[in-house]
Structure formats: structure tokens, C-alpha cells
Amino acid sequence: MLTFDNRFLNTLPGDPNPRNHSRQVHGAFWSRVLPAPVAAPQLIAHSPEVAAMLGLGDAQMRSPAMVEALSGNGLLPGMESYATAYAGHQFGNWAGQLGDGRAILLGEAVTQSGPHAGERFELQLKGAGPTPYSRRADGRAVLRSSIREFLCSEAMHHLAVPTTRALSLVLTGDQVERDMFYDGNPELELGAIVCRVAPSFLRFGHFELFASRGESALLRQLIDFTITHYFPHVAAAHAGASERIIAWYTEVCERTAKLIAQWMRVGFVHGVMNTDNMSILGLTIDYGPYGWVDDFDPGWTPNTTDAGGKRYAFGRQPGIAQWNLARLGDALATLGDPSPEALGDALAQFERTYSREVNRIFRDKFGLRDDAGHPDDAGDNEATIDAAFSLLVQQETDMTIFFRTLATAASVDALHAAFYSDAAWQEARPPWQAWFERYAALVARQHPSPDSLAARAARMNAVNPKYVLRNYLAQQVIDAAHQGDHAPISELLDVMRNPYDEQPGRERFAEKRPDWARTKAGCSMLSCSS
Ligand code: AMP
Ligand code: MG
């Protein structure tokens, strides 16, 4: 049984217009809207951990009433459905009102017992039909993108990267028309719905919407709501409105910095870091044309829509996050108080937090120490890491395999496994050998005992995953699903549950991208069409 307390709906003003047609919505945070029914819902995968977090067992997950709710065909007692209003900057340009165009909230479930008792989670169907915010689109989602969102939400969680979660994946039995590469070749595809779960789906764009319209009272109301319920420690520590906003915005900057540092740790590229895709809680949100770097290439973007500008490429994510935070700061500045200067000072916290986090993370990934007591440690660590980065970008080198190999590499030849071609390895071996000798000497200096070395390997294996949701692995699962075989979805989810463990018999899931996947759609090239 789920228990609902729909606080967002019950405490913030909504749109009085009950009709579901595309429009500009003013003076409101949400519009009531019912999910549009689907023809033949089928639950094809679910996350047992998310179900348990909500207090749901396996039988409850599979019950007809639950499957109806997860497909938009009916509401469970206590559920109230609505879509929220937000705006955003897309690809650097102001886009005006966007809103939940195909995401419909079902309410806020409050877990009644177990380790998550008292915690509150929004349930949100993605692909459940049109809303007042759908503009000209259909409100639906296709199977391929829904599989990708379902799997990646959970993979990120198990990798310990902050993220929204995915409860379920439902095949709707309806078809959806999509022009995948925007080249005038639309095709009918299978429709699907993911039920996403998070404490809140609020985005930077929610705040930008009210700021852009000069609706200051609503903006203040939203800020108060957010701080009171999601940042209660900020509310407790600061009495004045202006200090509160600064403290809260500073924390949003810190959380976002930590999030991006985690993306860089695991090789995740979001692909569409528009301000409407930035969570106010610092979660990874909206899995669209994301990708995982196979080859360590800071210039790589999975998003074909971004192929020209590469605005959202792997290595640009920190700078873009900072730009997005500045847009949030602009929105807050419309209140007049706090001052733009105070907001600018708070934004500076992003850079400080990011560089501290990313330095720590990469020191850990390389298994180096800053507490070994040698006066040269800091400088030697930095020089060693920088030298590795400049070599890594020269040849196609698999990021995940490279780092995973370092923990146990006895000689430079262990690194061969990370290279995408033997020719590249032959060319790269001499400079890597020079690097490896320096690195091994530094490691020996910092870890003088066998115990210390063993602890180092364990620590490295806890930050360098063996298994990540490689683009081609997700695509293989999608191809199987299109043939009617859904078992590989849960099988891949199961692998991603323990990404830091060796999983005997499952080595194939840790292999570098095969050659056939180099340029295949879905494996290295993804569009926003979903
Ligand atoms: P995205 O690029 O997926 O983050 O979406 C940007 C905006 O477009 C959001 O407001 C989405 O809700 C909306 N949107 C994307 N796809 C659809 C769709 N198929 N139907 C309605 N709205 C959509
Ligand atoms: Mg989005």
C-alpha cells in the first residue's frame, strides 16, 4: 500500500483551467491533468530496490491495479495527477515556458515503514500523454529511450552518483511516431512509460519561469517551499530571507559541483545540460541522449543535436554546470535582495567545491595519497595525474578499463587492455612506460607496506567501476526488446547493481566497445528524439 500526501499540489497555487490543451500557464505552479490511457500495458521491468524503498513487495508491484497506475490507466487511492510549470535555457538560449510536457506526477508517496519510513517521494510517469506544457508534441516516450532512462537511473544509483530513480518500465501497447534523426523519415515505434521517483523533480527552470515573468511573489513562494521542505537545515540556520537564499543557493552550487565531479569520475556525459534538466537537489535528472565515454575523450558528446557545437561534451560539463548555476543566480537576482554581488560570491563556491572534489576523486582513482607524509606528495600527485591525462587523450583509450587496471598493474603492459587498437598501443607504449615507472615509484613511496598496498587496491576498486552502462550494452538490450525479449533488461540491471565487484561469468559486460558499435546509432550517436 502506498500512502500519499500531495504537498506540492496542496500548498502551492495551481492552474484554475481544468482543460488539457497546450497553453501558456500564468500564476500557477501546476496544472491538473490525467494520464492518457494506453492500450495494453505490460510491466516489463522494475527496480526491486526502489519498490522496497517505497514499501512495495514484488507481488504488489505486479498487481493489476499497480500496473494500471504505472501505465497511466488508473490512479491508486491517494494519487492525484498533475504536471508542473517550468522554463529554461536550452543550448544557451532562453526558451521560455517548457514544463512537464510528457511527465505526469502521481503525487507524493510517504513510506510507512522500514529504513525509509517517513521519507517522501514524488512518483512521476514519463510518457503518459499530453499536458498543457506539451507544446506541439505528443506527450509520449518510446521504448528505446525508456529502457535507457530506466537502466541508467538505477545504474547511476548503484555507482553512488546522485540521481532520480526508476521504479518501473511499462510497455504501453501503443505506437508512437518518431523521426529519430530529424531527417524526414518518421517511423512507428513501441511506446513505453517509466515511473520515475525522487524526493523532488524541481529544476532550475522552475525558478527561472517566475523570474522571467516578474512573478516575484510566486518565485519567493517556491524558494520558501524548497528551503523549508528540502533544505530544512538552511531554514533553521538563517532567519533573514536574504541570508537564507544565499545559504541555499550556495548549497545548490556545492551539490551541483559534487554531482558533476561524480559524472567525471564514472565517465558519464549527460548530453543535454539545459537549465530545465538541472535538479535543484543536485541529482542527475532527465536521461535523454546521454552516453558513457568509452574512449577517454573530453571532447566527446553522444548527442547528435550537439555534434556541431559540442556544448555538452564530456569535458565541458563543469563549465556548463557553472553557467547554468549563473542563470539560476540571475533568476534569484530578480528579487532585488539578495544582491547580484552576494549571489556572484555564492556562485564562486561552485569552482572551489568542484576543484576540491575532482582533485580528490582523481587522486583516489589513481590510488595516490595526500596523507603519506612526504613533502613532495601534493606536487608529485598532480604532475603524475596531469601527465596521464595528456597521454590518455592522445590515443583511443578506454577510461573504465584504464582505471580499473591501475589497481593491480604490475607493469606498463597491463595498460594494453585499455587500448582500442594494437597499433595505437605500440605507438603509445614508450611514453606510457616512462609514465608508469614514475607512477610506480610514487606508489611505492606512498604505500611502503603490503597492507597499505592492499588497502589501496580496495579503495581504488571502490571508485573505479568495473561495470558501467556502456552505450552498446544498452543498445543490445534495446535491440532484444524490439524482438520481444525483455529478459536482458533485468539481466543488465542486475549487472549494474554491483558495478565495483568482480562478477565471475559476466566479464562480457566489462568489455570495451566492439568495433561494430563505433558509429552505430544508439551506441555512439543519439538524438534528442525520444
Ligand atoms: P527534454 O529535451 O527531453 O528535456 O525536453 C524539453 C522539453 O520538451 C520539456 O519541457 C519536455 O517535457 C518537452 N518534451 C520532450 N518530449 C516531449 C514529448 N514527446 N511530448 C511532450 N513534451 C515533450
Ligand atoms: Mg528535460
Side-chain angles (χ1 to χ4, degrees):
M1 258 293 278
L2 291 169
T3 303
F4 287 89
D5 175 24
N6 304 325
R7 189 171 64 191
F8 191 84
L9 199 67
N10 292 326
T11 57
L12 296 173
D15 174 10
N17 181 350
R19 284 186 51 221
N20 185 4
H21 64 94
S22 215
R23 61 178 179 270
Q24 292 289 308
V25 174
H26 289 267
F29 293 92
W30 48 263
S31 304
R32 281 193 195 268
V33 56
L34 285 172
V38 302
Q42 191 189 348
L43 179 69
I44 57 173
H46 77 273
S47 161
E49 288 89 358
V50 180
M53 187 169 86
L54 295 168
L56 298 170
D58 220 54
Q60 282 165 304
M61 276 306 292
R62 295 174 198 280
S63 75
M66 183 64 74
V67 175
E68 292 286 284
L70 297 175
S71 62
N73 276 5
L75 298 177
L76 295 171
M79 282 181 171
E80 294 178 278
S81 56
Y82 58 99
T84 72
Y86 57 79
H89 281 85
Q90 299 187 314
F91 293 93
N93 304 307
W94 176 243
Q97 178 188 297
L98 298 165
D100 293 324
R102 58 164 164 178
I104 297 182
L105 288 136
L106 300 175
E108 299 172 54
V110 183
T111 303
Q112 297 300 301
S113 58
H116 294 276
E119 286 179 37
R120 174 187 288 267
F121 300 100
E122 291 183 350
L123 268 52
Q124 185 183 73
L125 300 183
K126 183 163 173 181
T131 76
Y133 309 97
S134 297
R135 293 171 287 161
R136 271 178 296 279
D138 60 6
R140 292 300 187 188
V142 295
L143 178 60
R144 60 183 155 81
S145 66
S146 303
I147 290 176
R148 285 167 47 82
E149 174 135 25
F150 174 79
L151 286 175
C152 203
S153 307
E154 292 305 287
M156 291 289 261
H157 168 74
H158 294 296
L159 283 161
V161 182
T163 179
T164 65
R165 306 291 301 272
L167 173 62
S168 57
L169 173 62
V170 166
L171 204 51
T172 61
D174 293 321
Q175 295 200 308
V176 176
E177 190 179 276
R178 288 289 181 270
D179 183 358
M180 187 155 87
F181 286 106
Y182 304 115
D183 58 1
N185 292 303
E187 283 183 22
L188 287 177
E189 297 192 44
L190 299 176
I193 296 175
V194 171
C195 181
R196 309 196 290 191
V197 175
S200 170
F201 285 91
L202 281 172
R203 305 142 189 272
F204 292 4
H206 280 96
F207 300 84
E208 290 181 277
L209 176 66
F210 302 111
S212 73
R213 291 172 171 171
E215 294 177 331
S216 296
L218 292 176
L219 176 57
R220 278 200 189 277
Q221 203 176 356
L222 182 60
I223 294 168
D224 281 348
F225 179 89
T226 305
I227 295 177
T228 304
H229 297 306
Y230 297 105
F231 298 80
H233 48 285
V234 169
H238 303 275
S242 176
E243 298 83 74
R244 262 190 198 185
I245 292 176
I246 288 297
W248 163 66
Y249 177 59
T250 304
E251 187 170 331
V252 175
C253 291
E254 287 167 355
R255 288 194 193 192
T256 305
K258 289 180 183 172
L259 174 69
I260 307 301
Q262 292 296 327
W263 289 359
M264 304 311 283
R265 172 173 69 84
V266 298
F268 175 79
V269 190
H270 183 285
V272 206
M273 288 178 70
N274 294 331
T275 57
D276 52 303
N277 291 336
M278 298 292 292
S279 150
I280 204 71
L281 301 184
L283 308 172
T284 314
I285 191 171
D286 275 13
Y287 292 90
Y290 70 81
W292 294 79
V293 294
D294 293 303
D295 169 31
F296 183 87
D297 174 5
W300 183 70
T301 173
N303 184 354
T304 51
T305 314
D306 191 27
K310 293 194 190 296
R311 178 180 173 86
Y312 298 142
F314 180 46
R316 286 202 173 159
Q317 297 186 118
I320 291 292
Q322 189 178 22
W323 190 89
N324 289 342
L325 284 160
R327 302 292 74 73
L328 176 62
D330 291 348
L332 304 180
T334 62
L335 294 172
D337 186 29
S339 69
E341 293 71 31
L343 288 160
D345 288 347
L347 176 60
Q349 193 59 27
F350 173 86
E351 230 173 306
R352 280 194 290 273
T353 306
Y354 180 74
S355 58
R356 187 191 69 221
E357 289 293 307
V358 87
N359 286 337
R360 181 183 58 76
I361 283 171
F362 276 91
R363 198 171 61 227
D364 286 350
K365 284 179 77 68
F366 279 94
L368 296 172
R369 289 175 63 180
D370 67 344
D371 58 354
H374 194 284
D376 295 336
D377 277 337
D380 287 347
N381 287 348
E382 194 181 320
T384 305
I385 292 172
D386 285 351
F389 283 148
S390 48
L391 289 176
L392 276 169
V393 296
Q394 286 177 21
Q395 308 281 359
E396 267 193 307
T397 325
D398 192 88
M399 176 179 175
T400 304
I401 296 176
F402 174 82
F403 281 104
R404 187 74 182 185
T405 304
L406 275 186
T408 51
S411 82
V412 69
D413 289 310
L415 302 181
H416 186 175
F419 280 73
Y420 272 89
S421 86
D422 288 338
W425 168 245
Q426 291 314 326
E427 204 180 309
R429 195 180 177 283
W432 271 114
Q433 176 154 29
W435 178 84
F436 192 84
E437 279 164 17
R438 273 177 57 198
Y439 173 66
L442 183 56
V443 170
R445 189 178 86 199
Q446 295 182 353
H447 298 274
S449 75
D451 278 359
S452 167
L453 270 178
R456 166 183 179 267
R459 265 205 310 277
M460 289 174 79
N461 285 346
V463 293
N464 293 323
K466 168 128 183 174
Y467 301 95
V468 295
L469 189 66
R470 291 175 183 273
N471 313 310
Y472 83 91
L473 293 175
Q475 188 57 37
Q476 286 176 324
V477 166
I478 290 167
D479 291 342
H482 284 150
Q483 302 301 314
D485 183 7
H486 305 134
I489 303 171
S490 298
E491 187 192 7
L492 186 54
L493 172 61
D494 202 46
V495 175
M496 295 303 148
R497 246 186 214 117
N498 299 294
Y500 300 103
D501 294 350
E502 297 293 324
Q503 299 184 43
R506 286 172 155 178
E507 288 77 10
R508 81 168 182 87
F509 294 98
E511 280 169 13
K512 58 188 173 223
R513 178 200 61 216
D515 235 24
W516 58 259
R518 183 177 290 268
T519 51
K520 186 176 179 320
C523 296
S524 58
M525 296 190 301
L526 292 137
S527 75
C528 283
S529 155
S530 57

